């Protein structure tokens, strides 16, 4: 039974739970979870929120993003304090975009709701930090899943990113349903970048199952990745610093031909 003190002034917050370690959940997100009457999300993410009196947890399947967003909007419109949970950051291939898609197509009164998006630490930033600074200069981020876009577009973006010499971060590299996609990704990257380009696999980063692997495109195999793996590929400028164990990897802040002053590229 709900606490009758709740539900007078509803709100909705879309939050990121970070990559896995509870220490990487921001205080802002923790405060929202403590105030919530309802938590909505994909089942494994909802289960990361501890049950407590007065909190209703609504778990759903991975491919029900719009239905989940509509449910959250309805609950907030009824006066509940709703938190929609994603892993990582909610704006990076996660629930924030789905929420606003449902909002745009939904009931007109939903647009007057108190809605906030609270950032979280994305897997690519957590993985980059564990390895050094491979995303230290210009980079791009590509979702390799072709569930919501055609494979031809994925491949075109891969080639253009390699041509522009971005460091690259890849989400959802290899699903059990479509393992051939990452095989093709590696083929495209070898053609565009060469066999010696460094590639990094960060699986389950920040959790007890974390695995970090650094190799080259020529040595990489598709089996090194699954859906819990964040994959990064360096640019031409990316460097390795050898040490015992996994090397440090970084991409310098300046590119060839840039201003070489010490403060060039520094934050303002």
């Amino acid at each position: 039974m709900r606490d009758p003190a709740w539900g007078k002034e509803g709100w909705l917050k879309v939050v990121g739970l970070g990559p896995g370690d509870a220490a990487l959940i921001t205080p802002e997100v923790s405060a929202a979870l403590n105030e919530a009457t309802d938590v909505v999300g994909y089942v494994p993410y909802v289960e990361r929120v501890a049950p407590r009196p007065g909190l209703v947890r609504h778990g759903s399947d991975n491919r029900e993003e719009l239905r989940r967003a509509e449910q959250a909007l309805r609950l907030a419109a009824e006066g509940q304090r709703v938190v929609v949970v994603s892993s990582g950051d909610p704006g990076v291939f996660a629930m924030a975009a789905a929420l606003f898609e449902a909002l745009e197509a939904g009931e007109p009164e939903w647009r007057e709701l108190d809605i906030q998006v609270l950032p979280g630490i994305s897997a690519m930033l957590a993985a980059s930090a564990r390895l050094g600074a491979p995303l230290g200069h210009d980079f791009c981020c590509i979702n390799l899943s072709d569930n919501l876009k055609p494979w031809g577009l994925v491949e075109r973006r891969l080639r253009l990113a390699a041509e522009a010499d971005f460091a690259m971060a890849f989400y959802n590299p290899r699903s059990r349903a479509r393992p051939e996609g990452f095989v093709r990704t590696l083929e495209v990257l070898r053609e565009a970048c060469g066999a010696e380009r460094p590639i990094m696999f960060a699986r389950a980063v920040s959790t007890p199952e974390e695995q970090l692997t650094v190799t080259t495109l020529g040595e990489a195999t598709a089996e090194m990745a699954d859906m819990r793996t964040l994959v990064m590929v360096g640019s031409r400028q990316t460097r390795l610093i050898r040490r015992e164990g996994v090397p440090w990897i970084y991409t310098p802040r300046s590119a060839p031909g840039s201003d070489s002053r010490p403060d060039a590229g520094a934050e303002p």
Side-chain angles (χ1 to χ4, degrees):
M1 181 177 295
R2 293 186 185 274
D3 185 334
W6 294 105
K8 301 303 181 183
E9 296 181 4
W11 48 248
L12 193 159
K13 298 182 182 181
V14 191
V15 312
L17 297 177
D21 189 336
L24 298 181
I25 299 175
T26 70
E28 183 181 39
V29 169
S30 294
L33 291 170
N34 287 336
E35 296 173 7
T37 60
D38 297 79
V39 171
V40 177
Y42 178 38
V43 170
Y45 306 150
V46 168
E47 290 179 348
R48 288 177 58 185
V49 180
R52 59 169 169 79
L55 179 68
V56 181
R57 301 189 300 174
H58 308 266
S60 53
D61 187 72
N62 192 30
R63 296 194 180 186
E64 297 184 4
E65 289 91 347
L66 288 178
R67 186 180 304 173
R68 185 183 306 143
E70 291 168 354
Q71 178 187 27
L73 288 161
R74 283 194 298 271
L75 287 167
E78 293 168 2
Q80 305 306 322
R81 295 171 178 169
V82 184
V83 173
V84 178
V85 292
S86 296
S87 66
D89 180 277
V92 180
F93 307 128
M95 280 301 299
L99 188 284
F100 288 111
E101 186 176 347
L103 179 68
E104 184 178 25
E107 302 296 331
E109 57 268 26
W110 289 353
R111 301 187 181 202
E112 305 307 316
L113 290 170
D114 178 5
I115 297 174
Q116 297 179 53
V117 179
L118 307 185
I121 297 174
S122 70
M124 67 178 169
L125 298 182
S128 180
R130 292 287 288 118
L131 290 164
L135 305 181
H137 194 42
D138 295 342
F139 71 91
C140 70
C141 180
I142 300 174
N143 186 344
L144 294 180
S145 172
D146 60 354
N147 282 334
L148 299 176
K149 59 180 180 287
W151 175 256
L153 180 58
V154 176
E155 188 166 325
R156 180 169 181 266
R157 288 176 173 172
L158 286 170
R159 293 187 183 280
L160 289 172
E163 180 182 344
D165 198 28
F166 286 114
M168 294 171 264
F170 302 127
Y171 280 76
N172 300 321
R174 184 172 179 265
S175 69
R176 284 179 291 182
R178 294 180 175 84
E180 68 281 354
F182 193 57
V183 174
R184 181 57 184 157
T185 294
L186 292 175
E187 292 172 351
V188 169
L189 291 172
R190 289 188 193 108
E191 293 170 7
C193 303
E196 297 306 311
R197 187 70 59 86
I199 182 170
M200 297 141 270
F201 298 85
R203 185 180 188 277
V205 68
S206 86
T207 76
E209 294 80 39
E210 177 178 290
Q211 296 176 0
L212 301 174
T213 303
V214 177
T215 186
T216 64
L217 283 172
E219 295 294 326
T221 64
E223 292 73 25
M224 291 179 174
D226 62 14
M227 293 296 276
R228 296 189 68 194
T229 307
L230 190 287
V231 180
M232 292 178 287
V233 173
S235 72
R236 290 187 184 93
Q237 282 72 48
T238 299
R239 302 176 189 175
L240 274 65
I241 301 175
R242 299 292 180 183
R243 59 171 182 156
E244 185 176 349
V246 179
W248 290 117
I249 304 173
Y250 80 103
T251 302
R253 296 174 302 145
S254 59
S258 64
D259 189 335
S260 59
R261 293 173 300 167
D263 63 346
E267 294 185 2

